[in-house]
Amino acid sequence: MIELFQIAVFQDNLALSFFLGICTFLAVSRRIDTALGLGLALIIVQTITVPLNYLIHNYLLVEGAWAWAGLPEVDLTFLKLISFIGLIAAMVQILEMVLDRYMPTLHRALGIYLPLVTVNCAILGASLFMVERQYNFEQSIVYGLGSGVGWALAIAALAAIRERLSYSNIPKGLQGLGMAFIVTGLMSMGFSAFAGMQI
Amino acid sequence: MAGKFHQITDPVIQNNPITIQILGICSALAVTTSLANALTMSAALTIVLIFSSMSISLIRNHIPSSIRLIVQITIIASLVIVADQFLQAYAFDMSQRLSIFVGLIVTNCLVLGRAESFAIRNPVWPSVLDALGNGLGYSSILIIIGTIRELFGTGNLLGYPIFQTIENGGWYEPLGFMALAPSAFFILGFLVWIIRVFRPEQAENPDYHLRTGNEARR
C-alpha cells in the first residue's frame, strides 16, 4: 500500500511522467497560492472519484456484472468513458454544494478551481489507469489519493519556480510558455530519478 | 473562397492550438514517442473534432445555455467511444500502445475549447472548417515532435531505418532519452521558442499573455 502510494506520488507522477492535466498545469501555475488551491481541489476530487469509478466499473459495467439479473453475457465496458465523465461532473457539482453548505471558507478558497477540475484530464486519466491496471477497491483509494498528492506537489513546485523565474532575464521568444515547458522538463527529469526507489 | 481557405490555414501556423492557445497539450506530449502513434492520434482527434463541431453547431439553437457544457461533453464522449471502439476493432496493437490517451480525447481541452468558443455560435460549414483547421494545426505539431523523437530515439521512421544504428552495423547511437517523458517537454519548449523567434509578433502579444510575477503583483 505504502509502495503504491509512493509510486503514484513520485515515480508515476500524473503530470510529469504521463502529461495528464498539463493544460491547467501550465495555465494556473503563475502564482503559488492559486496553484495550491487547485492542487487541493484535485486531491479531494481524485480521492472521491477514483474509488467510485471503481465501484461503477466493477458492479455495473464489467462483463457478467448483470448476472444477478439474469443477463450474464452483458458487457457494458464500452460505456466506461461516458459513465466516468458523468460521475466526475456530478461529483464535482455535489462536492461544490456540500462545501458551500458546510465549509464555506474552504469553498471560497477553492473558488473557480473546483469546476475547472471536471475537464482536467488527470482525473479521468487516473480512473482509466485504475481500470487498465486492475486495482482492487483499497488500492483504488490509495491510488486516487496518491496521484492527487503527486499532481498537487508538481504544480506547487512549478509555481514556486516560476515565481522566482520572474526575476531572471529570459530570451524574448522563450518567455512564458517556452520556459514553462523547459522547467517542467527539468522537473520531470528530477522525478524520474525516483524510479525504482524502495521504501 | 479565399476567406474559407484562410480559416483552415490560420490555426495551422498563425493561431496554432498547441503553441498559441495552449489547448490539448497532454496528448500531444504523451503519444509522440513514435511517428505512427502521433499520426493515429492526430487522425482520431481531427475526426472527433470535426464531427463534434458539426453536431454541436447543428443543434446550437436548441441547447439551453445552462446545460450546454454537459451536452457538449456527452456528444464528445459518444464520438470518442466510437473512435476508441473502431481502433480496438481494426488496429488493436495501436490501441494498446495509445493506452488511455484515445479515451482522454474526451477531456482534451482542444475539442471542448473549439466547441465552446466557435461551434456553439457559428453555422455548420464554418464550424467544420474551423475544426479541420485546428485539427491540422494540432496534427502538424504532433507530427513534428513524433518525427524528432522517433528519428533520434531509435534511428527509424515509421519503423523503417533512416540512420543505421550501431547494433545493425551502422554509425548511429540511439538516444534513449528521446523515448522518456522529459524530452517531450524540451522539444515542445524549443519548438515554441523557434516559432516565436521567426514570428516575433507571437512573443510580443500572445493571446493569453502569461504574466510575470512582477506584473501580477501590480
Side-chain angles (χ1 to χ4, degrees):
Chain A
M1 281 297 150
I2 292 171
E3 200 184 335
L4 179 67
F5 183 78
Q6 176 256 322
I7 286 178
V9 174
F10 294 109
Q11 188 179 334
D12 280 2
N13 189 294
L14 281 183
L16 296 175
S17 47
F18 290 105
F19 314 103
L20 293 177
I22 284 292
C23 309
T24 12
F25 188 76
L26 293 172
V28 192
S29 59
R30 280 170 230 154
R31 296 184 55 190
I32 197 156
D33 44 353
T34 53
L36 283 175
L38 184 67
L40 188 61
L42 197 112
I43 296 176
I44 299 173
V45 175
Q46 193 87 292
T47 320
I48 298 174
T49 54
V50 174
L52 279 179
N53 277 334
Y54 170 84
L55 293 180
I56 288 195
H57 184 254
N58 279 43
Y59 292 101
L60 292 177
L61 299 180
V62 111
E63 189 172 8
W66 290 91
W68 54 270
L71 301 164
E73 70 276 15
V74 174
D75 181 4
L76 293 176
T77 37
F78 66 91
L79 288 178
K80 190 170 71 181
L81 275 176
I82 207 162
S83 47
F84 282 7
I85 193 82
L87 181 112
I88 291 169
M91 269 333 289
V92 171
Q93 203 75 65
I94 293 171
L95 192 68
E96 209 178 349
M97 286 190 266
V98 171
L99 284 183
D100 193 21
R101 174 74 182 78
Y102 295 104
M103 294 178 217
T105 40
L106 182 62
H107 182 248
R108 265 199 303 277
L110 292 179
I112 60 154
Y113 300 114
L114 205 49
L116 256 185
V117 158
T118 317
V119 286
N120 190 320
C121 23
I123 304 274
L124 185 64
S127 291
L128 292 176
F129 271 134
M130 175 269 298
V131 171
E132 201 181 82
R133 298 176 185 167
Q134 299 175 336
Y135 288 141
N136 63 28
F137 186 62
E138 294 88 38
Q139 280 173 328
S140 74
I141 298 175
V142 174
Y143 182 70
L145 180 66
S147 56
V149 170
W151 200 89
L153 185 71
I155 195 174
L158 180 66
I161 294 175
R162 285 181 75 176
E163 280 203 345
R164 305 291 300 195
L165 270 184
S166 61
Y167 302 111
S168 14
N169 194 4
I170 303 169
K172 186 115 204 154
L174 201 56
Q175 252 164 24
L177 188 59
M179 201 59 213
F181 272 122
I182 290 172
V183 170
T184 317
L186 288 172
M187 280 172 60
S188 164
M189 274 173 82
F191 269 64
S192 65
F194 288 116
M197 190 171 79
Q198 302 279 326
I199 292 185
Chain B
M1 201 58 212
K4 281 174 183 160
F5 190 64
H6 214 55
Q7 212 170 12
I8 298 179
T9 52
D10 230 23
V12 178
I13 305 157
Q14 285 291 351
N15 195 16
N16 190 287
I18 293 181
T19 59
I20 301 298
Q21 306 172 37
I22 345 185
L23 295 175
I25 297 174
C26 324
S27 51
L29 296 169
V31 300
T32 48
T33 44
S34 78
L35 186 55
N37 289 4
L39 285 172
T40 318
M41 187 68 191
S42 309
L45 185 115
T46 310
I47 289 166
V48 169
L49 185 57
I50 290 174
F51 281 102
S52 76
S53 281
M54 193 173 77
S55 23
I56 288 165
S57 168
L58 270 175
I59 58 169
R60 69 185 186 282
N61 295 326
H62 305 285
I63 310 177
S65 73
S66 52
I67 58 158
R68 71 181 188 286
L69 272 180
I70 209 135
V71 172
Q72 286 164 3
I73 288 189
T74 315
I75 292 176
I76 296 168
S78 319
L79 287 164
V80 172
I81 289 176
V82 174
D84 195 21
Q85 298 284 316
F86 183 85
L87 274 181
Q88 279 183 22
Y90 293 101
F92 189 70
D93 282 350
M94 184 52 80
S95 90
Q96 289 295 305
R97 257 182 287 156
L98 292 180
S99 131
I100 64 166
F101 288 97
V102 175
L104 284 176
I105 297 178
V106 177
T107 49
N108 192 311
C109 353
L110 178 54
V111 183
L112 196 62
R114 289 331 287 175
E116 182 68 14
S117 64
F118 199 89
I120 199 89
R121 280 186 260 110
N122 287 283
V124 177
W125 187 233
S127 305
V128 170
L129 289 182
D130 176 74
L132 179 64
N134 276 286
L136 289 179
Y138 174 89
S139 310
S140 58
I141 298 286
L142 249 73
I143 290 169
I144 294 173
I145 302 179
T147 311
I148 297 176
R149 285 182 76 180
E150 188 176 354
L151 186 61
F152 293 105
T154 62
N156 297 345
L157 211 51
L158 286 174
Y160 298 105
I162 303 289
F163 295 157
Q164 280 294 332
T165 51
I166 288 176
E167 291 151 46
N168 300 333
W171 53 273
Y172 185 68
E173 171 78 45
L175 289 167
F177 179 68
M178 282 290 168
L180 303 176
S183 73
F185 287 114
F186 290 135
I187 294 172
L188 191 48
F190 285 120
L191 199 61
V192 169
W193 191 8
I194 293 170
I195 292 173
R196 289 188 182 170
V197 166
F198 286 105
R199 294 187 169 268
E201 73 276 7
Q202 292 189 354
E204 311 265 344
N205 290 313
D207 289 348
Y208 51 87
H209 187 58
L210 287 166
R211 287 181 302 177
T212 56
N214 286 330
E215 279 174 312
R217 259 171 235 125
R218 246 174 243 155

